[in-house]
Amino acid sequence: ATAERAVVPVNRLDMQWPVENGSSNVIQTYDGAGSKGIDIRGEQGQPIKAAAAGEVLYAGEEVRGYGKLILISHNTATITAYAHNDTLLVQKDQKVQPGQVIATMGSSDSDSVKLHFEVRLNGKAVDPLPYLTRTN
């Protein structure tokens, strides 16, 4: 029974939507294959916010297909990814608070203005929607 219980995520994070009115603007949902996260439509320059407190692991544009990307580590198991940004407002090793503006929305390495948002648990992409429980 102990082994079974270990699988239950004890470090589950309640995250807030990284974009104002994000829940009503989801244009692509997670499917685990082609889409490893969700895409949220928005306006060029719109603020992108940290979904939870953490530390910036990566801020740059060297990851192909993600454009200007930010990765935030929230605990030993959980990372969030924010892709296709216009401007990056944080840097590696910076601590961030929930709701802190970390970037502006754009279309870097994308055909439209949107935020691609991913939640990764132990390196594996999971559906972000069950984690986005707090409104901003």
Side-chain angles (χ1 to χ4, degrees), residues 80-94:
T80 50
Y82 310 76
H84 306 308
N85 300 298
D86 181 39
T87 312
L88 303 180
L89 303 173
V90 292
Q91 50 205 355
K92 185 174 174 359
D93 300 328
Q94 183 175 335

Side-chain angles (χ1 to χ4, degrees), residues 25-47:
N25 288 302
V26 174
I27 49 174
Q28 171 71 56
T29 54
Y30 169 89
D31 64 18
S35 176
K36 303 246 185 254
I38 57 174
D39 290 350
I40 305 169
R41 175 184 58 226
E43 304 292 321
Q44 180 81 25
Q46 184 175 347

Side-chain angles (χ1 to χ4, degrees), residues 55-92:
E55 186 174 313
V56 178
L57 283 183
Y58 177 85
E61 48 188 320
E62 288 84 35
V63 183
R64 193 175 160 173
Y66 284 83
K68 293 183 180 176
L69 171 69
I70 294 172
L71 298 176
I72 297 177
S73 170
H74 301 286
N75 53 39
T76 54
T78 313
I79 293 171
T80 50
Y82 310 76
H84 306 308
N85 300 298
D86 181 39
T87 312
L88 303 180
L89 303 173
V90 292
Q91 50 205 355
K92 185 174 174 359

